Amino acid sequence: MPLARFIVRRLLTSLGAVLGAALLVFAMRHLVPGDPVAMMAGEQADEHEKARVRACLDLDKPLSGQLRAFARDLATLDFGHSCAPGREGDTVARLVRASFPWTLELAIAAMVVALLCALPLGITAALKAGGPLDAGAMGVSLLGICIPTMWLGPILILVFYIRLQWLPGPGDDPHGLAALVLPAVTLGTHLMAMLSRMTRSSLLEVLGEDYILTARAKGLPPWLVVLKHALRNALAPVITVAGIQFGALLAGAIITEKIFARPGLGTLILDAIASRDWKVIQGCVLVVAVSYVLINLLVDLAYGLADPRIRVKE
């Protein structure tokens, strides 16, 4: 497949995914049971307050008018103002802009933790395949997959914040690298487990290739064979999956941010759900969906550019 056609096809696929996510977000308000106006304004609200909330949510318009207003907001990236009582002056765009850098910072830190732990574990397991080190490394990765974030986070807080008092915890200043350690470890553990197992399997496959056997036959040092010849080729699929999973980290930060009381999209969307603030919920969900699709697109394009065989297969 020609490069230009490959890029256009990927762009159209990503655009379709974004539009599909946008339609689901729009339909969410109408599919959730109950009256959103009564849930947001409260049962004791007067008619004036209910009318204000109804107009803010565009529910005073017919369904076609609501869809046009939503499409206009989507095209201009402006989702109006928050409809929650006491928050009417805050625009959704401003709330999202203030929260997104915190979530992005946490996702990057979690990815760094995952890679720093996964690569040594995977490489050790591949080089010592079948031995006790292999079993131990894969046991650690299996443990990382099995431990849920909602359990690991409080345990880390209990040990490193309450008992040992080594690191900041919930309620402390969220700025600085120290405040990122516990949330990043909590969020990156599951990804670390996945990447370590992938590193092991990919490196084992490469170590059996003919060019690796040739490099060993030439008398090259084992460390040079592994680092220069084997690892460079084995890391290609690992980096691809890591890039794709980075988008999942943005969505998965919701629970971690709430556990550690960090500002971010997760905290914002949970607070919006508690107050039934549909405008903010829509904005947050769309930002997460678009970010996930965009990261997948960039990884897909980079992989297609680096390996023309991907384009040929399609």
Side-chain angles (χ1 to χ4, degrees):
M1 180 184 296
L3 178 59
R5 184 180 173 187
F6 174 79
I7 294 176
V8 170
R9 183 173 178 177
R10 283 293 181 268
L11 289 174
L12 291 177
T13 303
S14 300
L15 180 60
V18 170
L19 292 177
L23 287 176
L24 286 176
V25 168
F26 173 77
M28 178 176 60
R29 186 197 312 170
H30 300 275
L31 295 176
V32 174
D35 182 9
V37 175
M39 288 189 292
M40 179 177 293
E43 296 292 342
Q44 305 302 321
D46 55 26
E47 290 301 321
H48 176 74
E49 176 63 17
K50 290 183 178 180
R52 183 197 68 79
V53 174
R54 186 173 291 106
C56 181
L57 294 175
D58 296 323
L59 294 178
D60 56 341
K61 304 174 183 177
L63 186 60
S64 59
Q66 296 177 37
L67 186 57
R68 285 195 299 270
F70 180 77
R72 183 184 64 250
D73 291 342
L74 185 63
T76 59
L77 301 179
D78 179 14
F79 291 93
H81 290 73
S82 169
C83 299
R87 218 184 202 183
E88 299 88 344
D90 292 328
T91 64
V92 177
R94 190 189 68 81
L95 292 172
V96 171
R97 281 198 304 269
S99 301
F100 186 75
W102 292 96
T103 300
L104 183 62
E105 178 187 65
L106 177 57
I108 293 174
M111 178 61 71
V112 171
V113 169
L115 290 175
L116 289 178
C117 296
L119 295 181
L121 282 175
I123 294 171
T124 301
L127 296 179
K128 304 295 182 181
L133 286 178
D134 181 18
M138 290 301 97
V140 171
S141 69
L142 181 62
L143 193 63
I145 292 176
C146 296
I147 295 178
T149 301
M150 63 187 68
W151 182 86
L152 179 60
I155 291 298
L156 292 178
I157 293 172
L158 176 64
V159 174
F160 294 100
Y161 174 61
I162 297 178
R163 295 287 177 83
L164 300 177
Q165 298 183 356
W166 287 356
L167 295 168
D172 290 343
D173 185 4
H175 297 84
L177 291 178
L180 266 177
V181 174
L182 294 183
V185 171
T186 302
L187 187 59
T189 298
H190 185 82
L191 180 58
M192 174 274 296
M194 181 190 306
L195 292 180
S196 63
R197 299 178 75 87
M198 176 163 288
T199 301
R200 177 187 182 274
S201 61
S202 180
L203 187 56
L204 279 176
E205 182 179 350
V206 171
L207 288 174
E209 296 290 341
D210 292 338
Y211 65 90
I212 298 297
L213 300 178
T214 302
R216 286 174 172 170
K218 289 180 178 180
L220 294 177
W223 65 269
L224 185 60
V225 173
V226 173
L227 293 180
K228 183 177 180 180
H229 297 282
L231 193 58
R232 287 174 58 185
N233 295 303
L235 286 182
V238 177
I239 293 174
T240 302
V241 172
I244 294 173
Q245 289 299 315
F246 182 75
L249 288 179
L250 292 174
I254 294 176
I255 297 176
T256 304
E257 287 178 350
K258 196 64 177 177
I259 291 174
F260 290 92
R262 286 181 57 85
L265 281 181
T267 301
L268 179 61
I269 193 172
L270 288 177
D271 291 343
I273 291 173
S275 61
R276 307 299 194 274
D277 196 346
W278 292 105
K279 290 271 187 173
V280 176
I281 294 173
Q282 286 178 342
C284 291
V285 172
L286 272 176
V287 167
V288 171
V290 171
S291 300
Y292 191 87
V293 171
L294 181 60
I295 292 171
N296 276 267
L297 172 64
L298 294 177
V299 171
D300 211 6
L301 291 178
Y303 204 54
L305 291 172
D307 190 350
R309 293 174 297 178
I310 301 297
R311 306 199 301 267
V312 173
K313 289 179 181 179
E314 299 189 6

